[in-house]
Amino acid sequence: MADVSRTFTVASPLGEVVAYLRDFANTTAWDPGTEKCEQTTPGPVAVGMEWRNVSSFFGRTTELTYRMTRDDPDHVVFEGRNGAAVTSDDLSFEKVHDASTSITYRAHLEFTGLARFADPAARLAFEVLAGKTVKQMTGVLEAR
């Protein structure tokens, strides 16, 4: 099991940050591990919406189905699953002032079955990826 948490501030208003990050298809821009992400449930973004996500992690490409499980004005959560892993991206937001937002990004990865033996090495890789994610997410949000 690997858990990471980062809190950082971006120079972008709260409403814009939340609107952008609550659409998981945007992970292709802010998550350095995501290669492709497409909405598979029709309609507007809401709890229960699903996305097909193709990511490269730990030297391997994997596909997960992500589902939005929480959609509050200050907190969104996405849970991903496939046959080898369960993961979550948990994002909470707080207005710092009109032009900036504090984001707390928590990511959880748990391998299942035989994949769980990769756990110790995955923790280190997950920590490195979290740092890259913060940098990339900040750049994307501040460029909008």
Side-chain angles (χ1 to χ4, degrees):
M1 179 167 55
D3 289 293
V4 296
S5 180
R6 301 287 190 275
T7 299
F8 55 102
T9 299
V10 297
S12 190
L14 175 68
E16 291 179 20
V17 168
V18 175
Y20 182 77
L21 292 176
R22 66 187 287 276
D23 184 349
F24 205 67
N26 291 325
T27 57
T28 56
W30 62 260
D31 179 2
T34 296
E35 296 176 358
K36 185 177 182 180
C37 191
E38 58 192 16
Q39 182 177 322
T40 57
T41 307
V45 173
V47 170
M49 171 80 53
E50 292 187 348
W51 292 262
R52 178 183 162 268
N53 180 283
V54 178
S55 294
S56 179
F57 179 71
F58 204 47
R60 301 184 75 171
T61 298
T62 188
E63 182 177 322
L64 292 105
T65 298
Y66 276 86
R67 174 186 291 258
M68 178 183 261
T69 59
R70 181 171 180 171
D71 185 20
D72 297 334
D74 63 348
H75 197 169
V76 295
V77 178
F78 304 94
E79 294 180 359
R81 295 184 176 275
N82 66 15
V86 176
T87 185
S88 67
D89 286 77
D90 182 315
L91 299 133
S92 55
F93 314 97
E94 185 176 336
K95 180 180 176 178
V96 175
H97 55 74
D98 288 344
S100 58
T101 304
S102 174
I103 300 170
T104 298
Y105 173 70
R106 293 176 199 87
H108 171 81
L109 172 65
E110 186 171 341
F111 290 107
T112 58
L114 291 176
R116 73 184 178 281
F117 295 111
D119 222 32
R123 286 183 195 155
L124 178 59
F126 213 48
E127 284 289 334
V128 171
L129 184 61
K132 291 179 182 179
T133 300
V134 167
K135 184 177 180 179
Q136 195 161 319
M137 185 186 293
T138 300
V140 167
L141 289 168
E142 291 182 350
R144 294 180 42 79

